[in-house]
Amino acid sequence: MAHDETTPSAPEMSWFAWGDPERAKTLDPGLRDLIAQVLDADVHEMPPVDEADVDLPPSRLTDHLRQALAGVAGPEHVVTDDTVRLRRSGGKSTPDLLRRRSGQADPAPDAVIRPADHDQVQRLLELCSAEGVAVVPFGGGTSVVGGVDPLRGPFDTVVALDLRRLDALVSFDRTSLTAVLGAGVRAPHAEELLGEHGCTLGHLPQSFEYATIGGFAATRSAGQASAGYGRFEDMVVSLRVATPRGTLELGGAPASAAGPDLKRLLLGSEGTLGVITEVGLRVRPVPETVLDEAWTFPDFATGTEALRVLAQSDTRPTMARVLDESETFVGAAMGGREAAPGCQAVLGFEGTAAEVEARAALVRELMTAAGGTRLGPEPVAHWRENRFSSPYLRDTLLGAGILAETLETATTWTGLLPLYEAVSEALKGALVGEEGGAVVMCHVSHTYPTGASLYFTVATAASADPLARWDRAKRAASDAIADAGGTISHHHAVGADHRPWMVSEIGPLGAEILRSVKASLDPEGVLNPGKLVPERS
Amino acid sequence: MAHDETTPSAPEMSWFAWGDPERAKTLDPGLRDLIAQVLDADVHEMPPVDEADVDLPPSRLTDHLRQALAGVAGPEHVVTDDTVRLRRSGGKSTPDLLRRRSGQADPAPDAVIRPADHDQVQRLLELCSAEGVAVVPFGGGTSVVGGVDPLRGPFDTVVALDLRRLDALVSFDRTSLTAVLGAGVRAPHAEELLGEHGCTLGHLPQSFEYATIGGFAATRSAGQASAGYGRFEDMVVSLRVATPRGTLELGGAPASAAGPDLKRLLLGSEGTLGVITEVGLRVRPVPETVLDEAWTFPDFATGTEALRVLAQSDTRPTMARVLDESETFVGAAMGGREAAPGCQAVLGFEGTAAEVEARAALVRELMTAAGGTRLGPEPVAHWRENRFSSPYLRDTLLGAGILAETLETATTWTGLLPLYEAVSEALKGALVGEEGGAVVMCHVSHTYPTGASLYFTVATAASADPLARWDRAKRAASDAIADAGGTISHHHAVGADHRPWMVSEIGPLGAEILRSVKASLDPEGVLNPGKLVPERS
């Protein structure tokens, strides 16, 4: 089997785990036993099956379709090799990884198509719409909500549309501080390309090492420095989007009142309305100075209240997060360090030296008045070193029989602690019994003037049926979020996994709007079936 | 005829002019002659006709419809009096005022309906959709783009849906700094209501004294302090919207990745997709300190470049504007003062005393390095005193036979000066000849990291056919904007007047999206016919 091409900046990800197979680790047996004791559960090693033993359904691509697709993208870019199809058979949620580790890779795409440019994407969508071929856009493949599952809907054939070759800096405007990037540019490569001009996006989600610019746009991503750089959608100044009905070119002006902002309808559309091929972005000069500070608070309520004060002031850090008691304790323990009691917060400031110093001084006053104690920069340095490595730790735990998964939401400041309690209780309540309990941790990592996100991490014994076990917990948490008025996702997006909660999120008439736009842009319904858009009930 | 009810905070506007009839002025004859000389034109007084002589078409409301509408809103809130209908017969563009001054008030609504609350609006829309009655939502009536023209489209009957009774602070959350306001709350009343809680919206467009919260949301308004408080759409955290197909309740969380942000589809929808009845807004504490500074620059290019540096820095003023040479000169002359040569900029800072001082100090360094000279606060004080009075001046000029109108756009920093030149040339080119020339002035009043707005003011002799004269100039300017890649409106919106440029703005497929959403929410097409949404070509 031919090996897949990769972009210069990142190797192909493991088929059964996050990221670079070279960076996988095994869990220290002493630590594993300690975790089992805390969880009050038996844990058993869960090695993945051999790749050769994976149950990958054969490609159903007909010769007719192969020729037609090859006529657009070139025969070498219509790939049906099992190695390649397996690596486009889904994303990176814990259920995704559990399925593939156990040898289950059905559904898989019938082919992986690798177009070279916007025009090829446009022609491929017209072709697939005419031929009735389901199209699943695929960027970094980092979805944790089933967003890239190759569901075929009512169609015989489903293809993964791999956008990795749309890998260029299309244009750069130093005066306006804007750049147009191809949808397939991975985030580290984007930083390289912009770095040559002295600029940065400042967008660093946990998926940074693999995720693509198009994926960020399609899923309304938020990076760890969102307090300073904004959410990804707020950086987008223009979009080029291919649809079965033609191409959309939206935006360009810094602001407009020429009707609704249609860019916002494509941002977050998750490949169901069109395929984003180019993204015009606001960029920033690489900051002159980065200043980090850790703080400690007696408890989570005090820590979140301090972050509220910062978010509502005119002088904010570039990055601000606070961990609850459990995450503070576990984070330090996993790193072999001892945490201060209570809750840890990490702040980062970026900008010119003068700006950073002025902002940090004002913030220190606010944090101290809010009950915080300054710890110095060391815990932030540790966090920065490990900021993209949690998914590797998850794989390590999974190999040792410990299921670790995350979920997230956001709500108003008033609703934040009640939502925190409700979701924590729902998770713990769903994960009790003979199979042991769960450790539930949480942090606030994205703050806004009116509210904040909550990011939960759950660890529990995988048990004999880890998929069913997690499904129960996830449903309980999602229902608790919906009942408490939180959003079903702050930055993971909807995909297949959150789709059942979309009507509660936007109402039946909101769902009708999404269906009407989809009918207009994708009349045959070939774009990413089974994702995001609720079916008519 | 019965006199119309008014909200506590503002009197009814004049039927032929902006604002409060008590505040109208006449033009000093010496100044009028000077302007005529500069314009190289004859100017003649243009008094409005008597209200009794206005050609107002009689109401076509049938008894059947009157009863049905009264069944929802109450008989006293289905108003067909001429006084009331005249004052809902259009907005406040110069062409609007020219028509009404000359006694032309056709079209006029067949009735003005004044619902009490969301549920009445919802039931009225269902009724009008079932009965085939065109509905024109009416808030402050300050549109300058024909947004509230009572066009009946294919329907026999058109009603103005006056939202002024939706005038309450629905809820207030001090912790989250959010407030839900009724769509009919006028901006000064909103400030009173929020002021009781020590808060402000900080949204001060030129229409402030009359415009409503619902109108701001429906038109993507931007206020004079947008650099600090953001555009109105950026303050909106939730929306309640009545449509013929039911009610939409959107938003609430401070941020979300649960599919596209559907709020953004209703923001800027200008009453064509639904009627916004309640708006959840981010509010801010009333600032402790306001610090004003005027600056002067040798020319407009240097002044705009300085504002670019500020907009791209992390330390910004709350308000920043720079006037071109003409507007600097004329502004001072009209105020009886002498301006420094070159271009004037005004900056405002709001916040805590410590924050304001820190920001102002950093900004002074940047402005000085960019070639600016500090003038002190006096010119800003003058501007603040007169910030809402330009529309009165326009009426004064119109009465003296001088047509004064504004138009606006936005583009990237790179495109800003070329767009400035192109629009200026287009306006001057369209306003030459026997009827005299034009004075074209411009300022930048909204800045963003990637670009800025341009706001043009044009003064020219009204001539024998002022409507045709302005139409020629407006078309030339709009074509120049579209050709140069600017947006057809930065904050005035689309209405009827900019609709011909919408396909150039969003493309034929973007127009198709708007039509599909409209078909979904307003299947009979009764909502604000002839506005915003381009017809299928």
Side-chain angles (χ1 to χ4, degrees), chain B residues 445-460:
Chain B
S445 47
H446 301 269
T447 61
Y448 307 87
T450 64
S453 68
L454 290 170
Y455 193 90
F456 294 90
T457 302
V458 187
T460 191

Side-chain angles (χ1 to χ4, degrees), chain B residues 122-152:
Chain B
Q122 179 59 48
R123 287 160 59 203
L124 286 168
L125 294 191
E126 288 166 13
L127 173 66
C128 289
S129 184
E131 297 280 353
V133 174
V135 178
V136 180
F138 199 98
T142 63
S143 174
V144 290
V145 293
V148 292
D149 288 3
L151 306 180
R152 65 185 73 234

Side-chain angles (χ1 to χ4, degrees), chain A residues 173 175-176 220 231 254-260 264-265 268 308 312 314-315 355 411-414 448 450 487 489 493 502, chain B residues 173 175-176 220 231 254-257 259-260 264-265 267-268 308 312 314-315 355 411-414 448 450 487 489 493:
Chain A
D173 178 346
T175 303
S176 307
R220 300 178 71 190
R231 294 169 64 82
S256 173
R264 299 279 186 163
L265 199 51
R308 179 178 78 83
Q312 293 180 346
D314 285 333
T315 308
E355 277 170 347
T411 192
T412 60
W413 289 110
T414 298
Y448 306 88
T450 64
T487 179
S489 175
M502 275 302 283
Chain B
D173 177 347
T175 302
S176 306
R220 299 178 70 189
R231 294 170 64 82
S256 172
R264 300 279 185 162
L265 198 52
L267 293 165
R308 178 179 77 83
Q312 293 179 345
D314 284 334
T315 309
E355 276 171 346
T411 192
T412 59
W413 289 110
T414 298
Y448 307 87
T450 64
T487 179
S489 175

